[in-house]
Amino acid sequence: MQDYEKEITVKGWVRTKRGSKNVAFIALNDGSTINNLQLVVDLDVIAETALANMHTGAAVSATGLLIPSAGSGQKVELSVRDITLLGAANPDEYPLQPKKHSLEFLREKAHLRFRTSTFSAVSRLRHAMTFAIHKFFNDKGFFNIHSPIITGSDAEGAGEMFQVTTMHLDKLPRNAEGSIDFSQDFFGKAANLTVSGQLEAELAAMALSKVYTFGPTFRAENSNTSRHLAEFWMIEPEVAFNDIVDNMDLAEEMLKYLIKYALDNCFDDLTFLSKRLEEEEKNKKAEEKSMELISKLSFVLENDFERLTYTEAIDILKNSQPNKKGKFIYPIQGWGADLQSEHERYLVEKHFKKPVILTDYPKEIKAFYMKQNEDGKTVRAMDVLFPGIGEIIGGSQREENYDKLLNRMHEMHIPLESMWWYLETRKFGTVPHAGYGLGFERLMLFITGMGNIRDVIPFPRTPLNLEF
Ligand code: 4AD
Ligand code: MG
């Protein structure tokens, strides 16, 4: 890269401009890396008036020689021969000044926040993780399946769907019974945005053996937390002939591969984000501080995930200090309770101090498609729990037995008329199979050390928030 003799032209946006009588320094960034390029402008060569409108946020093009830098902080700089303003940014109006802005403020400026160091780093890491996910699966012989975004079924059976319609909401057609007549709607039936591509992935796995989806999913759950989005991206591998142990192995291998990929390929961005986190937490008490980002990533990479059953976890939680002292918002009374994020994080951060995979949950708190265990009480579910995050992956071995699946669907009031095709796979060449869903933004929270899911997706969709 240090081609010192040649003249080069660079284009980008001004981060800062400072100067003295004889020389001006412009820190230019084009988004390709976290590092700015320092432009050195000799004011004897270029009139100061030519730089007049090159304020923070302005776009410029500069031509000159790349030279070793005399200053600290950068190896090279551009000795500018010619510089042109491409697009001004009026400093009285441009909201991103060269100072620290709060993440909340930047969320209101989501159209511009790509231009901050933090969001450009997050954006590059998001890309790197997307690429690494496709590479991981491709290298293992998986096929990427495009599952539909508009569906007529509820894959999770949780009723958290956004409806899709072209009917006019102020004059909805009614049928004889008085309910809405969806036969007059675009698809001739009720439609919604998918909550998961799993069911379609299962169909594909019954022919291609190893498949995965990577698409947007939508959930109308009214959870205003730092871990939930109404629109998020999910990676869902599905593998024929795999059981729950294979499924856990694949999940652990994938997460470690992704962490290693980030460490190997995005070190500058991670270093920046690590410093950002340290700065943000500098006023916190030592015990409330999170582990340094790169050490945390390396730690997860180097240690086996702890695997235990839900039943074993409940015992640990029931006897834990926070439960005995009434510190949990949702106290653990006994077997059967759904685990909240406070419980998941206790297990990971306090008890085991490493990622945990919990298996064999009570069937009542899990989806209809999970394989039923012999005990009649639990299903072959697996959740991967991560420090600072809680659940990052949810998955299971699937119920491949037609009669058992049909029974469970009846019990859980799953509408069979919209799922007949799913059941048919259990009639024709059914085999054991397993899969899981990784929440992409939860992965991004972990990799970047960011604290709020709204800051790891460019344009977050959350309740009462649809700007941009
Ligand atoms: O546990 P979930 O609901 O599982 C499924 O959807 C299965 N169909 C997956 C499968 O077996 N193929 O969701 C999977 C993951 C969660 O572990 C979490 O990481 C993420 O998706 N997730 C969300 N991420 C952001 N915002 C939300 N509202 C999320 N809901 C789930
Ligand atoms: Mg889940």
Side-chain angles (χ1 to χ4, degrees), residues 156 219 366 383 391 393-395:
E156 291 299 300
R219 296 204 183 168
K366 289 293 180 189
D383 278 6
E391 180 189 336
I393 281 180

Side-chain angles (χ1 to χ4, degrees), residues 116-130:
T116 62
S117 297
T118 300
F119 286 92
S120 64
V122 169
S123 302
R124 282 185 296 271
L125 273 157
R126 228 186 123 98
H127 165 78
M129 289 297 93
T130 303

Side-chain angles (χ1 to χ4, degrees), residues 255-316:
L255 288 167
K256 287 180 171 170
Y257 177 94
L258 297 176
I259 292 167
K260 181 163 186 332
Y261 189 93
L263 288 168
D264 289 349
N265 294 278
C266 312
F267 202 75
D268 285 357
D269 285 326
L270 290 177
T271 305
F272 170 82
L273 288 168
S274 163
K275 287 195 195 119
R276 195 205 70 83
L277 184 62
E278 218 172 274
E279 177 70 16
E280 190 178 273
E281 295 193 332
K282 71 170 185 255
N283 294 327
K284 281 191 177 175
K285 285 188 231 141
E287 65 269 23
E288 285 169 8
K289 284 189 191 178
S290 32
M291 196 181 202
E292 188 278 321
L293 182 61
I294 291 166
S295 318
K296 180 189 78 176
L297 295 176
S298 310
F299 178 83
V300 170
L301 194 58
E302 284 152 18
N303 286 280
D304 288 343
F305 296 3
E306 188 74 32
R307 300 179 182 191
L308 69 157
T309 65
Y310 165 92
T311 304
E312 289 165 331
I314 284 288
D315 272 347
I316 294 171

Side-chain angles (χ1 to χ4, degrees), residues 156 196 198 219 221 229 234 236 391-394 398 437 439:
E156 291 299 300
S196 156
Q198 175 194 326
R219 296 204 183 168
E221 50 187 332
L229 290 166
M234 186 152 50
E236 296 185 273
E391 180 189 336
I392 194 166
I393 281 180
R398 318 305 188 189

Side-chain angles (χ1 to χ4, degrees), residues 124-333:
R124 282 185 296 271
L125 273 157
R126 228 186 123 98
H127 165 78
M129 289 297 93
T130 303
F131 180 79
I133 285 161
H134 286 299
K135 181 162 168 50
F136 173 78
F137 285 119
N138 182 66
D139 291 354
K140 290 180 86 68
F142 281 65
F143 299 106
N144 183 210
I145 299 297
H146 292 138
S147 49
I149 289 171
I150 302 175
T151 80
S153 53
D154 179 356
E156 291 299 300
E160 290 171 335
M161 291 173 306
F162 289 101
Q163 289 175 270
V164 175
T165 180
T166 52
M167 296 195 294
H168 292 288
L169 298 182
D170 49 1
K171 41 177 191 252
L172 290 171
R174 304 260 165 193
N175 55 28
E177 296 92 62
S179 50
I180 294 163
D181 182 7
F182 283 105
S183 71
Q184 296 189 42
D185 202 353
F186 188 90
F187 296 105
K189 53 153 88 173
N192 41 65
L193 295 178
T194 190
V195 295
S196 156
Q198 175 194 326
L199 303 191
E200 291 84 359
E202 283 189 54
L203 310 182
M206 290 302 114
L208 297 158
S209 293
K210 295 191 277 187
V211 302
Y212 70 104
T213 69
F214 188 166
T217 47
F218 308 87
R219 296 204 183 168
E221 50 187 332
N222 203 356
S223 333
N224 232 323
T225 77
S226 57
R227 307 273 175 273
H228 288 87
L229 290 166
E231 176 180 301
F232 63 98
W233 289 69
M234 186 152 50
I235 297 94
E236 296 185 273
E238 194 68 37
V239 187
F241 318 110
N242 265 12
D243 65 13
I244 192 172
V245 177
D246 304 320
N247 208 31
M248 287 192 274
D249 291 345
L250 182 67
E252 184 165 344
E253 186 189 343
M254 178 197 64
L255 288 167
K256 287 180 171 170
Y257 177 94
L258 297 176
I259 292 167
K260 181 163 186 332
Y261 189 93
L263 288 168
D264 289 349
N265 294 278
C266 312
F267 202 75
D268 285 357
D269 285 326
L270 290 177
T271 305
F272 170 82
L273 288 168
S274 163
K275 287 195 195 119
R276 195 205 70 83
L277 184 62
E278 218 172 274
E279 177 70 16
E280 190 178 273
E281 295 193 332
K282 71 170 185 255
N283 294 327
K284 281 191 177 175
K285 285 188 231 141
E287 65 269 23
E288 285 169 8
K289 284 189 191 178
S290 32
M291 196 181 202
E292 188 278 321
L293 182 61
I294 291 166
S295 318
K296 180 189 78 176
L297 295 176
S298 310
F299 178 83
V300 170
L301 194 58
E302 284 152 18
N303 286 280
D304 288 343
F305 296 3
E306 188 74 32
R307 300 179 182 191
L308 69 157
T309 65
Y310 165 92
T311 304
E312 289 165 331
I314 284 288
D315 272 347
I316 294 171
L317 288 166
K318 224 166 63 189
N319 298 317
S320 69
Q321 286 303 320
N323 199 50
K324 286 182 177 160
K325 290 188 175 156
K327 292 273 166 63
F328 284 143
I329 303 170
Y330 300 92
I332 295 283
Q333 252 112 39

